Amino acid sequence: MNWRNFLAPYSQVVEELKVKLKGMRTQFEHESSHSPIEFVTGRVKPISSVKEKMKRKNIHINDIETELQDIAGVRVVCQFVDDIDGIVDRLRSRNDFDVIEERDYINHKKESGYRSYHLIISYPVETIHGERKVIAEIQIRTLAMNFWATNEHTLNYKYEGQIPEKVQARLKRAAEAAFKLDEEMSKIKDEIQDAQRVFKTNKNDHEK
Ligand code: 0O2
């Protein structure tokens, strides 16, 4: 298996999706005072992680293109929980890719405490051999969900997937605290957005 050649279209997909999703963010910023998108990141799964996941999920090399759906991954991070639905709707209605699966880990959190909304998409990418449909994953989550997931991911790495029970219990409590924070922030969303509007107007006045 030539991994570099295999992963090349996935890198292209990640780069294209990052440009498009960052473009959405810029457009929101121009057209309204509040952008539901805080930031966008993306990565191609490292070869070592691809191999580890193939082993863990017992995926045959011939099936990785369909079975390993997060080789190309982009993440959209929002300020508020209610922003997520709007972003998901906009992504569903786009014509440049097809959503083939949705995983709602917000209303159905994972056992670990993980929350996020995942869209699995089929993205047409132009290669020198013609068009190819590549599967990619878009994760949409709040800043609080992202904070939790990033820390949990680091601990998983540290403990090689075997986080001690005591730490797991703390993580579950932290996940609930993060969710509570999202709920509380939602309640004062209008006030926060008013303040952001004033801040933006003042900033624009200064720049004139
Ligand atoms: P990385 O390093 O981000 O690439 P599974 O891997 O079995 O949990 P599955 O069926 O492949 O899940 O797909 P799913 O549920 O859409 O999850 C894929 C990705 O979602 C993961 O990729 C993580 O990025 C994220 N994710 C899912 N569950 C958790 C969790 O409990 N904690 C954290 N921090 N992230 C999670 P990878 O390959 O695990 O990791």
Side-chain angles (χ1 to χ4, degrees), residues 28-168:
F28 276 122
E29 276 176 349
H30 286 163
E31 291 182 17
S32 67
S33 54
H34 168 71
S35 170
I37 300 177
E38 274 288 306
F39 60 87
V40 174
T41 59
R43 61 98 186 96
V44 175
K45 211 175 193 47
I47 298 169
S48 56
S49 305
V50 171
K51 288 183 179 164
E52 181 278 318
K53 200 158 179 173
M54 279 170 68
K55 208 167 154 194
R56 177 161 54 85
K57 300 200 131 195
N58 204 12
I59 297 171
H60 190 267
I61 192 99
N62 296 337
D63 300 325
I64 42 180
E65 283 175 35
T66 49
E67 299 290 311
L68 241 180
Q69 299 178 321
D70 66 340
I71 297 177
V74 286
R75 186 170 294 154
V76 177
V77 179
C78 304
Q79 207 174 0
F80 299 103
V81 148
D82 336 350
D83 292 331
I84 294 176
D85 276 349
I87 296 294
V88 170
D89 277 345
R90 280 193 164 79
L91 295 176
R92 278 193 202 112
S93 64
R94 286 184 74 114
N95 296 320
D96 51 349
F97 53 76
D98 291 320
V99 174
I100 53 173
E101 209 179 309
E102 299 192 20
R103 298 185 190 138
D104 180 0
Y105 297 129
I106 293 183
N107 290 306
H108 308 278
K109 66 167 184 199
K110 281 198 157 184
E111 179 56 27
S112 58
Y114 177 76
R115 279 189 169 97
S116 197
Y117 200 98
H118 293 189
L119 292 179
I120 310 298
I121 64 165
S122 170
Y123 186 92
V125 67
E126 288 296 330
T127 73
I128 51 171
H129 309 292
E131 187 191 277
R132 209 186 119 182
K133 294 262 170 72
V134 169
I135 291 182
E137 181 176 80
I138 307 180
Q139 302 181 340
I140 305 120
R141 50 170 81 149
T142 62
L143 285 162
M145 292 172 194
N146 193 50
F147 179 50
W148 182 91
T150 309
N151 288 336
E152 197 258 5
H153 193 271
T154 310
L155 286 172
N156 244 315
Y157 190 76
K158 173 179 170 181
Y159 291 110
E160 294 173 344
Q162 305 292 321
I163 301 179
E165 267 177 34
K166 252 185 169 169
V167 184
Q168 274 184 37

